[in-house]
Amino acid sequence: SQQGEEDPQALSIQEGENATMNCSYKTSINNLQWYRQNSGRGLVHLILIRSNEREKHSGRLRVTLDTSKKSSSLLITASRAADTASYFCAKALSSNDYKLSFGAGTTVTVRA
Amino acid sequence: SQTIHQWPATLVQPVGSPLSLECTVEGTSNPNLYWYRQAAGRGLQLLFYSVGIGQISSEVPQNLSASRPQDRQFILSSKKLLLSDSGFYLCAWRHPGGRVNTEAFFGQGTRLTVV
């Protein structure tokens, strides 16, 4: 089954607004990672948050993790047209798990 | 610095023809290597991963196979393509040794259309 289900599937916002997307998962994780994909390109890593962390920041990005609810959120503040992309969360299940399991992603459109 | 190369960028192949997509990594040794497929507007499906030369793990039964003939080379193949093999194929690597707290680095992808 899919691990890392993003919500919403699509999001359209005005430039300058904040964008929030969520990721839920079903089993315990070692860490959760967020990636961005521009149309027709490979994925680019944004932030990794470990299971013992609750919040991380990187520039205009803020990621939270709630292990009790098995969910994470990615917040993009003061969005720009260049933030238009698909965003994916990926889970690493355990220290012996070589795999990253990706969800279906959230497509974000930032209108100028 | 490490880089990942994936080619070709686009490919149009007839049904029943063979396939070979290649991915190479530079600047690191013994990486964990991955092949993903992404259907249009969908998430990534893990196809194969490899933790060492000749070591291939398959995630989904399918018409594809993978090989790792050299430490930093990962090849995705098919003997006879199906229409359902169309998609966007992504190669990725992660640091070796089971270091799970690491991110994945992706190639630019291959858009495969089977006609």
Side-chain angles (χ1 to χ4, degrees), chain B residues 27-49:
Chain B
T28 188
S29 296
N30 196 30
N32 293 336
L33 297 172
Y34 305 82
W35 278 111
Y36 289 89
R37 178 170 60 200
Q38 185 177 31
R42 303 291 299 276
L44 276 68
Q45 179 186 37
L46 179 62
L47 302 176
F48 301 95
Y49 69 95

Side-chain angles (χ1 to χ4, degrees), chain A residues 28-29 32 36 43 46 58 77 84 98 100 102-104 108-109:
Chain A
S28 297
I29 59 170
L32 187 143
R36 182 184 70 219
L43 279 73
L46 297 176
S58 176
T77 60
T84 294
Y98 298 105
L100 277 178
F102 287 81
V108 175
T109 303

Side-chain angles (χ1 to χ4, degrees), chain B residues 6-32:
Chain B
Q6 185 181 344
W7 68 93
T10 59
L11 192 58
V12 180
Q13 292 283 101
V15 169
S17 64
L19 172 74
S20 181
L21 301 181
E22 189 163 344
C23 173
T24 60
V25 180
E26 297 178 357
T28 188
S29 296
N30 196 30
N32 293 336

Side-chain angles (χ1 to χ4, degrees), chain A residues 4-74:
Chain A
E5 301 294 343
E6 290 87 343
D7 170 62
Q9 289 186 324
L11 184 60
S12 181
I13 56 174
Q14 199 72 31
E15 203 165 28
E17 293 180 339
N18 296 342
T20 300
M21 60 211 84
N22 305 295
C23 171
S24 62
Y25 55 93
K26 298 177 181 177
T27 59
S28 297
I29 59 170
N30 180 285
N31 67 78
L32 187 143
Q33 305 177 22
W34 285 92
Y35 291 79
R36 182 184 70 219
Q37 183 183 34
N38 290 89
S39 181
R41 306 297 296 273
L43 279 73
V44 175
H45 179 261
L46 297 176
I47 290 183
L48 182 154
I49 187 164
R50 296 178 174 79
S51 59
N52 61 353
E53 298 175 315
R54 291 298 168 258
E55 187 171 314
K56 286 190 81 169
H57 296 257
S58 176
R60 294 182 297 110
L61 305 179
R62 172 178 171 249
V63 167
T64 62
L65 179 66
D66 187 334
T67 53
S68 66
K69 295 181 179 179
K70 290 186 169 57
S71 69
S72 173
S73 67
L74 170 66

